[in-house]
Amino acid sequence: MTQATDREYIYKANGEVPPGEQLPEGLRRIALGVEYCGARLHGFQKQKSAAETVQAHLERALSNIAAEPITLVCAGRTDAGVHATNQVVHFDTRAQRPERAWVQGVNTKLPDSVRVRWVREMPAQFHARFSAHARSYRYLIHSAPTRSAHSAAEVTWTQHPLDMDAMREGAKHLVGRQDFTSFRASQCQAKSPVREITRLDIARVGQLIVLEVSANAFLHHMVRNITGVLMAVGRGERSPDWVWEVLEKRDRSAGGVTAPPFGLYLVDVRYPREFQLPVCEPGPLLVPLALGTLPQL
């Protein structure tokens, strides 16, 4: 019995386990760190109409190594075309496998666009989605007169010069606990539009403009909608104060600008220290800098 609800705990595959309860005997909870290039994938979530999803590839490879059907949950779903360097997933299994099998063995069953980076056996109370208390994304923009022949699906290109100082001024309006209705997709299923952005930095790294944003959680298309609005400010089409006006209207049509998925990367998911998950470089390789260290010049 759980003290909080006084209801009998009933196990559900990969579900939340209340404090004091355990997984059924013989089951183990495994967490994986996953990296993927979303250019040719139809997003993370498994779909009946599309075989090329991150979840479908992972579950198929894991089931092969575990010799039993595996389903999993992730820290945050990503859309078609979106990338990740540090996605976190977990699954429950009866299979006893060495770490090498869950990493190298699974990777031999995956396409080149998806890779397992690390594995940890976790306590029953760990949940890839609900245990996370912060997430960070990076959005990469190539601002140049012509599109590069390299990394076309890994960055977003604009032929317009972008005023980063104006973008930074606009971004200040978004930091803090806010109602982000104007920056959520119309099909967003989150119960509340309130989120807290703890950091929103914009800097030039090499030939790229990098937007880095951290929050307790994100709404559907939230980062892409923020980026689209800030790029409009950077092009001089709108003033930095327009960002505040969009936010205050709490109406998706107020901004109406969604940046493409190509330059978006899920780069970090943070959990309580008690879980002792590996801390990896956020990446991607085009941005070899730790979180919070973008040059502010």
Side-chain angles (χ1 to χ4, degrees):
M1 304 290 284
T2 63
Q3 295 180 356
T5 63
D6 200 33
R7 294 178 182 176
E8 183 179 359
Y9 164 61
I10 300 176
Y11 168 78
K12 293 183 179 179
N14 305 323
E16 288 186 277
V17 179
E21 300 287 357
Q22 297 298 324
L23 296 171
E25 186 176 356
L27 277 180
R28 304 160 68 220
R29 180 153 291 187
I30 306 295
L32 300 177
V34 182
E35 179 179 48
Y36 50 88
C37 175
R40 293 183 176 86
L41 299 171
H42 291 84
F44 184 90
Q45 188 175 10
K46 186 165 55 177
Q47 305 171 37
K48 292 182 180 179
S49 59
E52 297 296 310
T53 69
V54 181
Q55 185 177 9
H57 283 305
L58 281 172
E59 290 184 349
R60 188 159 47 244
L62 288 165
S63 297
N64 185 288
I65 297 301
E68 67 178 15
I70 296 291
T71 61
L72 57 81
V73 296
C74 67
R77 299 170 184 171
T78 52
D79 294 329
V82 176
H83 319 291
T85 59
N86 285 296
Q87 174 71 273
V88 178
V89 307
H90 86 259
F91 60 94
D92 296 342
T93 180
R94 294 186 180 278
Q96 299 277 349
R97 299 289 184 272
E99 180 176 313
R100 179 172 179 174
W102 291 129
V103 178
Q104 298 179 20
V106 170
N107 281 338
T108 64
K109 308 296 182 182
L110 290 169
D112 291 341
S113 57
V114 184
R115 278 293 174 268
V116 174
R117 300 184 68 183
W118 54 260
V119 60
R120 289 288 188 278
E121 182 171 352
M122 303 304 296
Q125 280 65 46
F126 175 82
H127 192 283
R129 178 185 175 189
F130 297 122
S131 297
H133 59 71
R135 297 161 176 83
S136 296
Y137 284 85
R138 280 175 170 168
Y139 194 98
L140 278 52
I141 304 167
H142 183 215
S143 174
T146 59
R147 185 192 299 271
S148 172
H150 304 285
S151 304
E154 297 175 38
V155 303
T156 285
W157 170 71
T158 176
Q159 63 182 337
H160 303 285
L162 297 178
D163 183 338
M164 287 195 298
D165 288 334
M167 293 172 71
R168 289 179 183 131
E169 281 299 310
K172 291 178 181 178
H173 296 299
L174 302 175
V175 177
R177 186 176 175 83
Q178 316 262 22
D179 182 326
F180 285 97
T181 297
S182 295
F183 294 91
R184 70 190 297 188
S186 58
Q187 64 269 39
C188 180
Q189 298 178 356
K191 294 180 180 179
S192 171
V194 176
R195 296 292 186 270
E196 183 176 6
I197 290 181
T198 55
R199 188 178 69 253
L200 207 175
D201 297 332
I202 301 168
R204 184 173 292 279
V205 180
Q207 299 183 50
L208 300 174
I209 294 173
V210 180
L211 183 150
E212 180 179 291
V213 56
S214 299
N216 61 338
F218 290 89
L219 302 165
H220 191 195
H221 284 179
M222 180 172 162
V223 179
R224 290 171 58 191
N225 291 336
I226 286 173
T227 303
V229 165
L230 292 178
M231 287 179 70
V233 171
R235 291 191 297 266
E237 298 169 3
R238 299 283 189 167
S239 72
D241 287 339
W242 177 63
V243 179
W244 174 251
E245 294 172 11
V246 172
L247 185 71
E248 282 294 283
K249 286 183 179 179
R250 299 180 183 179
D251 181 351
R252 176 67 197 109
S253 64
V257 188
T258 302
F262 315 116
L264 183 59
Y265 294 77
L266 172 61
V267 298
D268 188 68
V269 185
R270 291 297 170 94
Y271 295 90
R273 291 182 180 179
E274 65 193 74
F275 293 125
Q276 299 182 347
L277 291 181
V279 177
C280 299
E281 291 297 317
L285 294 177
L286 295 169
V287 187
L289 297 170
L291 282 172
T293 65
L294 294 184
Q296 298 300 301
L297 301 177

